[in-house]
Every structure is written in structure tokens, then in C-alpha cells.
Amino acid sequence: MNGTLGCAEGATPAGRERLLRIIDLARWAPSGDNTQPWRFEIVADDVLIVHGHDTRDDVLYDFDGHASHIAHGALLETMRIAASAEGLTLEWTHTADADDRQIEYRVQFSPSAKVTVDPLYPFIEKRVVQRRPMRTTPLTESQLSALLAAAGAEYSLQFFESFSARRAIAGILWDNAYIRLTCPEAFPVHQRIIEWGARFSKDRIPEQAVGVDPLTAKLMHWVMQSWERVSFFNRYLMGTILPRVQLDYLPALSCAAHLLIKPKVPPRRLEDWISLGQTVQRVWLTATQQNLHLQPQMTPVIFRWYARAGRQISRDPAFVGLLQALAAHFERVSNTAKDESLGFFCRVGSSTPPKGRSLRMDVSDLTR
């Protein structure tokens, strides 16, 4: 943690240091492609402002900002857990613009003799994304029970554990990856999110955490210099095959289970998406506590959001049919009705820790 920041008006040095410790842990909350759509402002010993934003204008996968709103919820939950180690509880309120692009969260901390350190506290920094194949060792009853309890009463969890179920999910991810890799509107996102040649990255995904072998990584790096190269490889050299095999199909088979979080009440307000993010973080930290790794698989959920809202992802009309087919495929496999909501999708399993991982921006860069 960078402790060289000056004291904000209204905050004492001791109060500011305490909030900086909370920020230092809270910043490890997950966000799509490590975008970290938040900045912090300390205004008093017991008050912190989180300036949240979304990436919908630049990121195809941030449907109406909801992926960022989920990340905001994960941040607030991580902040609550971190505050428990300081003997603090927190309450938050928010104000937002008309379409929730810019959101200001006012977080009030209060000391409490009753608060105890949250059991998930030790796992905040240990939580990582594992994009490589995991072991197929089945989840234990204890692990399943812990994940179910973490989700709470407002969400249901659906597990896809058998080989046939994992193979069915692999088929969905295979089709999903074709859309992801051939959609020209997705290319700018893919081009900028990877830090090539890196094991760690403060604001992107490092190459060594992507999940492909070194030769494929070199080829991907060269091809992704321009959309023309990507289009040529996709059309004439089956350029989607190798990354789809390594990034989607094989990992889908090589895990203990796929996990789908379904809200029992469809999310409609900003608060609903924040609540989903809080639940996602509790489930993810619980998986870490249970010696499991996790990889989000959100693009099929997001593409289904587009399809069921009648929205397009591309100027190319061919993707309308591809999205509808993917949504229908996902619904058949998951036994989901067209009007039923899907919240978060991932795979879980045990594995050795990944060698590369996304880090976070320094506290000094995130704090106003």
C-alpha cells in the first residue's frame, strides 16, 4: 500500500490510514478484464466516496453497464469484509445519473463491539482467476454446502458436474467463442485487455494468465495486431479453432463443475445488480476458502442478455441469428425459460495456483 498520500480535508492521519487499509484490500475485488471501474475519495475518518463508472461505451461485454454494476457490488462486499477486520460495520447509499453510467457510493463506517472478523477476510487477496484446465475431482458435500450457503436465499445455484453435463457446457462455450472471436466489435476489447509478455498486470490480463501455450500466445499476439489479420486467419486458416480448443472447450471439460447463479427475482434496478455482485464475491471467496479455483464464463450470459432484449452486438446482421441460437442452446442445456434471469456463470475445480495473475492499480492511482 502506498502511504504517501496527503490527508483529505476532514480526515485525520490515523483515520485516513485506516480507510487506506480498507481500500488496499477492497481494490482486489473482481472486475471484467481487470477494468477496475472505481475510484476512491476519503472525505472523513468514517466516510469514503466510491466514484463508480461503467465501460458500456467501450466494452461490448458491459451490457447497459450491468457487468460493471456487478463489479461495484463485489467491491462493496469486499469493502465490508475488509472493514470487519478494523472492527467496523458499513452502510452505503448511492446517487446516479439517469442511466447509471456514473454512480457515487457514499460509504459510512461505524465502530461496533459486536463485529467479528469475517471468515472470508483471509481470502481476499488469494482469490484468483484460473483459466487453465483444472482437476475433474468432484466437489465434496462440504464444498457444495458452503457454496450454496454463500449464495443466500435470494439466489439459486445450478451445478453441472457430470461429464455429459460438462460436455454440453463445452458445446455452448464452443459456439460462444466463435461469436466472440469473429465479431468485429469485440476485437478492440480483446486487443487492449492483454498485456503481452507479462506474468502480472496492474490494469489488464497478463499473457501468462490467458490460458494458452506459449506458441499459441505468440501467434495470437501477431494476429491481433489488426482486424485484417484476424479476419484473414478466421476465414482462410481456421484461426478460431486453436484458441477455442485451448481457451474454451478443454477447460470446460477439465473442471469439477460449472456453476450458474440465478436470481430468484429478475434484476431490474441498480440495487439488484449490486446485490448480485455482492453474492458473486461471497461465492467466489467461499470457493477460495474451500481450496477451489474459479473462472468466470460470462459471455454466454451477456450474449443472452442481448438476444432476449432484442439488441444487436454488431453491424453484421449474421450475428442476430448466432446470438438467438446461442441463447436457445444455453436455455436448453440449463433448463432455463426465456423470461428467466441468469446472473453469473463460472467453472470451479481444484488446481495448482496459476503462475500469472492480474494485479491491481496502486492505491495512490485509485484514490483522489
Side-chain angles (χ1 to χ4, degrees):
M1 184 179 76
N2 188 328
T4 63
L5 301 171
C7 292
E9 183 180 352
T12 65
R16 183 173 177 82
E17 283 300 317
R18 182 171 62 179
L19 293 186
L20 285 173
R21 288 194 296 270
I22 294 173
I23 291 172
D24 190 41
L25 284 174
R27 69 194 174 104
W28 289 95
S31 58
D33 297 329
N34 201 21
T35 51
Q36 301 166 70
W38 44 65
R39 295 296 182 268
F40 305 97
E41 179 183 357
I42 296 173
V43 297
D45 284 357
D46 57 352
V47 178
L48 178 67
I49 302 295
V50 178
H51 299 274
H53 62 275
D54 67 48
T55 61
R56 73 182 81 177
D57 291 331
D58 305 307
V59 179
L60 176 70
Y61 306 111
D62 200 358
F63 177 82
D64 287 349
H66 294 328
S68 292
H69 301 153
I70 291 171
H72 295 167
L75 174 76
L76 291 168
E77 181 64 14
T78 310
M79 193 173 290
R80 183 195 65 78
I81 295 169
S84 73
E86 302 285 344
L88 301 172
T89 61
L90 68 79
E91 294 182 354
W92 58 269
T93 57
H94 74 278
T95 57
D97 59 12
D99 52 2
D100 300 330
R101 291 174 183 268
Q102 300 289 334
I103 309 165
E104 185 177 285
Y105 301 92
R106 187 181 190 277
V107 184
Q108 174 79 53
F109 297 90
S110 302
S112 172
K114 296 181 180 180
V115 70
T116 59
V117 179
D118 193 290
L120 297 177
Y121 173 81
F123 304 98
I124 291 174
E125 290 185 74
K126 293 180 180 179
R127 181 206 60 79
V128 294
V129 177
Q130 175 57 286
R131 296 179 179 86
R132 298 184 184 275
M134 307 178 198
R135 302 184 188 99
T136 57
T137 306
L139 299 176
T140 66
E141 289 300 321
S142 175
Q143 290 170 332
L144 289 167
S145 296
L147 294 171
L148 287 166
E154 296 180 358
Y155 299 88
S156 64
L157 299 190
Q158 185 175 358
F159 294 92
F160 304 84
E161 299 181 85
S162 68
F163 178 77
S164 61
R166 286 183 279 121
R167 185 172 59 186
I169 296 297
I172 293 171
L173 295 176
W174 179 263
D175 293 343
N176 173 80
Y178 177 80
I179 298 173
R180 190 181 74 236
L181 295 172
T182 60
C183 178
E185 284 78 6
F187 170 70
V189 182
H190 303 161
Q191 188 180 44
R192 66 174 174 262
I193 64 171
I194 300 175
E195 185 168 342
W196 297 102
R199 181 179 177 186
F200 304 106
S201 177
K202 289 184 177 181
D203 59 356
R204 286 171 287 171
I205 301 172
E207 176 188 311
Q208 292 188 31
V210 170
V212 297
D213 62 57
L215 183 60
T216 302
K218 289 182 181 297
L219 179 61
M220 286 174 60
H221 187 194
W222 184 82
V223 170
M224 291 176 65
Q225 297 302 306
S226 71
W227 174 249
E228 289 73 23
R229 290 183 184 180
V230 172
S231 182
F232 178 86
F233 266 74
N234 288 347
R235 177 169 296 189
Y236 298 110
L237 300 176
M238 298 185 293
T240 70
I241 300 300
L242 200 56
R244 288 161 78 192
V245 169
Q246 293 192 38
L247 295 175
D248 297 275
Y249 198 82
L250 290 180
L253 297 176
S254 299
C255 63
H258 297 268
L259 170 59
L260 183 59
I261 299 179
K262 293 182 175 182
K264 293 181 179 178
V265 177
R268 306 204 184 278
R269 305 171 303 152
L270 173 62
E271 293 87 347
D272 300 329
W273 296 102
I274 294 170
S275 173
L276 174 59
Q278 292 171 310
T279 297
V280 167
Q281 180 66 333
R282 285 196 300 273
V283 169
W284 200 336
L285 290 174
T286 299
T288 306
Q289 180 192 51
Q290 295 295 315
N291 297 312
L292 298 170
H293 283 102
L294 183 151
Q295 179 191 8
Q297 300 172 148
M298 281 297 290
T299 50
V301 172
I302 293 166
F303 286 157
R304 179 179 178 266
W305 290 344
Y306 275 101
R308 293 300 168 237
R311 304 266 289 276
Q312 298 184 14
I313 64 170
S314 175
R315 295 183 300 274
D316 185 343
F319 285 96
V320 174
L322 291 172
L323 281 190
Q324 292 293 334
L326 177 69
H329 188 184
F330 199 173
E331 289 162 357
R332 287 195 304 272
V333 171
S334 62
N335 194 28
T336 299
K338 282 187 176 183
D339 59 351
E340 189 175 359
S341 295
L342 301 182
F344 184 77
F345 189 43
C346 63
R347 66 187 185 101
V348 296
S350 60
S351 70
T352 56
K355 295 181 179 179
R357 67 171 297 187
S358 294
L359 303 178
R360 296 297 184 272
M361 294 170 62
D362 294 335
V363 172
S364 56
D365 295 324
L366 289 169
T367 307
R368 297 183 176 184

